[in-house]
Amino acid sequence: MESAVEAELRRQIMAWVGERAETNGGFLRRDELLDFHLDGEKLPVIDYSRGIRNPASFGSTLSIVSTPGRYHDSEMSEDGLLRYAYRKGDPWSGDNRKLRQAISTGMPLILFRKEIANIYTPVFPVYVIDDEPENRQFLIALDESFTFLHDPRHLTQPQREYALRLARQRLHQPAFRTRVLVAYETRCAICELKHGSLLDAAHIVPDGHELGAPTVNNGLALCKIHHAAYDQNMLGVTPDHEVRIALRLLEEIDGPMLKHGLQEMHGRRLTLPRRRGDRPDRDHLAWRYERFDAAAS
């Protein structure tokens, strides 16, 4: 396949992945990825059984899969770059050849983070920027700018800081959203809105605080208006899972959004995940509610 044609196909595939992920709430399901069609032809975006997708007509790899927290073929290092292990077999042919080809062509890949069984968080575009035969692995970056580095194995301090910041934004935050939204069955814990594109994963203890780990029990699935209200202490949640609206808002007279979207949520109980381990940590809720109470008084 000519490189220009392949590049255009990748663009269309990535556009579809982005649209589907946004509709779902930041993730795609395995059956969606395997049933993708382009111009009437079936073209799975992931492989049926392996962590790499190399369509026969493509000169370079289309996608790779990482499974955080378990044995997997890829691992994020302390410099913010991803190390992806060679596939088994001949290091110079098959899957390894197509991954290596992506270095010379500069073709972008899709990284899928398999956070939960059959659930994939897409991160794209990512780029294969170097080959480490002595370690049987490839170096993968989250930004095209790294493809222009003379020595990507040895980043300067500013380059390392930039790579780590990208990893936080493009890997950790989307993964947190996926885990939280899936736990809450893609619905707002307060109003039960079920449109994934309108839902966020809100931290109970803020990101960056020493207790603000990106774990499901430190998160709430909230629609965008309730997330904004929660962040601005217009809305609080007690340790017993009851919603409280700040007194100043309860006393306001405004349009239907204030009345039905916020004021009528006062006293409502959260809709919680089925798994107890995914439910919000009581101590975290208490910590956050103290701050809401102080701001609201």
Side-chain angles (χ1 to χ4, degrees):
M1 181 183 292
E2 293 184 7
S3 60
V5 174
E6 182 176 330
E8 173 58 19
L9 291 177
R10 286 173 186 269
R11 186 195 67 76
Q12 294 182 41
I13 293 168
M14 289 182 181
W16 175 82
V17 167
E19 290 171 3
R20 287 304 307 161
E22 181 58 26
T23 297
N24 293 342
F27 57 88
L28 294 97
R29 296 176 176 82
R30 184 174 185 270
D31 56 356
E32 292 180 284
L33 293 167
L34 291 175
D35 195 42
F36 174 69
H37 287 69
L38 187 61
D39 297 330
E41 297 289 330
K42 188 171 184 178
L43 181 60
V45 183
I46 59 173
D47 194 84
Y48 282 88
S49 59
R50 302 177 304 158
I52 189 169
R53 175 71 174 120
N54 281 319
S57 60
F58 279 35
S60 305
T61 297
L62 172 61
S63 71
I64 55 176
V65 175
S66 170
T67 307
R70 296 175 51 190
Y71 171 79
H72 50 84
D73 295 320
S74 57
E75 184 175 351
M76 184 60 64
S77 65
E78 293 182 357
D79 59 9
L81 299 178
L82 187 74
R83 267 70 179 177
Y84 191 84
Y86 282 6
R87 306 302 296 173
K88 293 180 180 179
D90 186 347
W92 309 106
S93 65
D95 291 334
N96 295 317
R97 179 183 64 80
K98 289 198 173 185
L99 267 171
R100 190 171 290 108
Q101 184 70 7
I103 302 175
S104 57
T105 63
M107 287 286 185
L109 282 67
I110 307 171
L111 167 65
F112 287 106
R113 303 270 287 179
K114 188 178 178 183
E115 304 295 334
I116 303 164
N118 300 319
I119 300 291
Y120 298 79
T121 304
V123 180
F124 65 92
V126 301
Y127 299 87
V128 186
I129 60 172
D130 205 356
D131 180 14
E132 297 181 342
E134 68 278 15
N135 298 317
R136 293 185 59 87
Q137 65 186 12
F138 295 98
L139 213 57
I140 296 175
L142 302 176
D143 190 286
E144 187 178 15
S145 63
F146 287 93
T147 64
F148 302 106
L149 296 182
H150 175 68
D151 185 8
R153 300 193 200 188
H154 301 92
L155 301 182
T156 65
Q157 187 60 28
Q159 290 167 345
R160 183 187 299 265
E161 290 173 357
Y162 176 59
L164 288 169
R165 187 163 63 250
L166 277 179
R168 182 187 184 113
Q169 294 171 350
R170 299 190 56 204
L171 291 179
H172 306 317
Q173 293 176 5
F176 175 66
R177 184 187 183 200
T178 292
R179 292 193 298 270
V180 171
L181 264 58
V182 170
Y184 282 81
E185 300 178 35
T186 318
R187 64 185 174 190
C188 176
I190 294 174
C191 67
E192 299 191 14
L193 181 72
K194 296 181 176 66
H195 290 272
S197 60
L198 299 177
L199 300 179
D200 293 332
H203 284 80
I204 299 171
V205 178
D207 187 28
H209 189 280
E210 61 181 357
L211 299 177
T215 53
V216 175
N217 67 356
N218 187 43
L220 295 170
L222 299 178
C223 68
K224 294 186 180 296
I225 189 169
H226 290 142
H227 185 187
Y230 190 59
D231 283 352
Q232 295 177 44
N233 287 319
M234 295 178 178
L235 179 155
V237 178
T238 73
D240 295 321
H241 309 141
E242 287 195 7
V243 178
R244 295 285 185 270
I245 302 299
L247 181 60
R248 65 184 186 278
L249 285 184
L250 290 175
E251 294 176 341
E252 273 188 35
I253 298 176
D254 200 349
M257 180 55 73
L258 176 63
K259 179 180 179 182
H260 301 299
L262 289 172
Q263 291 172 337
E264 290 183 0
M265 298 299 107
H266 188 69
R268 193 179 177 101
R269 295 190 65 82
L270 296 183
T271 300
L272 298 174
R274 296 176 187 271
R275 292 183 65 252
R276 286 190 171 275
D278 290 338
R279 294 175 185 175
D281 182 272
R282 183 181 178 86
D283 291 339
H284 288 1
L285 287 173
W287 183 93
R288 183 63 179 266
Y289 189 74
E290 285 178 8
R291 281 142 187 85
F292 162 77
D293 201 32
S297 59

